[in-house]
Amino acid sequence: MSSFYHPQIYDTSKPVESWWEASVDKNPLSSKPVSSDETCDVAVIGGGYTGLSTGYHLARDWNVDVRVLEAGHGGWGASGRNGGFCCMGSTKKSYSALTRQFGEAATRDFVRTQIASVDTVAALLKDEEMQVDRSDDGEYCVAHKPSRWKVLAADHQEMERFGVQTRLL
């Protein structure tokens, strides 16, 4: 039976290659397994983007004693093998479709969360003086055939309505 996932996805002893890891001089996230009882204020399960960010911000902003627990190494799972995108557009549904399904308030919250997430990454890069190759001048959404132009124009208006700055070219 074939599987959708890479055969080594859960085998932490045989990590799948990651461009992100190969691009740094030294893996700053290497650690040893927990070998004794530990105590802390908060234990974060999972050392991907979300877990590492949670642990970092709890410790930095709130002086919380945090342990981030990961079966592999930090960034081992999907976080280590994604495209590195940090932008709007985390769903294939339009804002009008989201509004129909979840309501105006929930859609506005969703959009605000997306914007805040991108802003959080930008602030982290600045605060930590990280040297990264940013390309944050926006993104292009293309009407790949003439009949899609009206949909693109409607999406543009809907995004503007929800406070996302767009330009229709």
Side-chain angles (χ1 to χ4, degrees), residues 14-101:
K14 299 176 185 171
V16 177
E17 283 188 28
S18 164
W19 181 87
W20 308 110
E21 288 180 79
S23 69
V24 295
D25 294 332
K26 176 181 157 187
N27 185 353
L29 302 176
S30 60
S31 60
K32 296 177 183 173
V34 175
S35 60
S36 62
D37 289 347
E38 292 275 336
T39 60
C40 60
D41 297 326
V42 175
V44 177
I45 310 299
Y49 288 138
T50 303
L52 291 172
S53 179
T54 300
Y56 171 84
H57 286 96
L58 283 171
R60 185 191 75 176
D61 301 341
W62 301 96
N63 201 33
V64 172
D65 182 20
V66 179
R67 303 292 187 279
V68 177
L69 306 174
E70 169 59 57
H73 57 274
W76 169 78
S79 293
R81 294 186 288 278
N82 72 39
F85 297 104
C86 181
C87 57
M88 301 294 289
S90 62
T91 178
K92 290 183 179 183
K93 289 189 176 195
S94 67
Y95 291 168
S96 57
L98 291 171
T99 301
R100 283 192 302 276
Q101 185 171 356

Side-chain angles (χ1 to χ4, degrees), residues 19 40 59 75 83 91 95 104 113 125 138 144 159 164 166 168:
W19 181 87
C40 60
T91 178
Y95 291 168
E104 179 90 13
T113 299
L125 294 174
H144 56 279
M159 291 175 80
V164 179
T166 64
L168 188 61

Side-chain angles (χ1 to χ4, degrees), residues 94 139-160 166-169:
S94 67
E139 59 185 284
Y140 287 99
C141 298
V142 179
H144 56 279
K145 55 185 177 178
S147 63
R148 300 296 295 168
W149 175 254
K150 285 183 181 179
V151 172
L152 187 64
D155 287 348
H156 160 73
Q157 287 181 338
E158 196 70 2
M159 291 175 80
E160 289 279 323
T166 64
R167 220 171 28 154
L168 188 61
L169 304 173

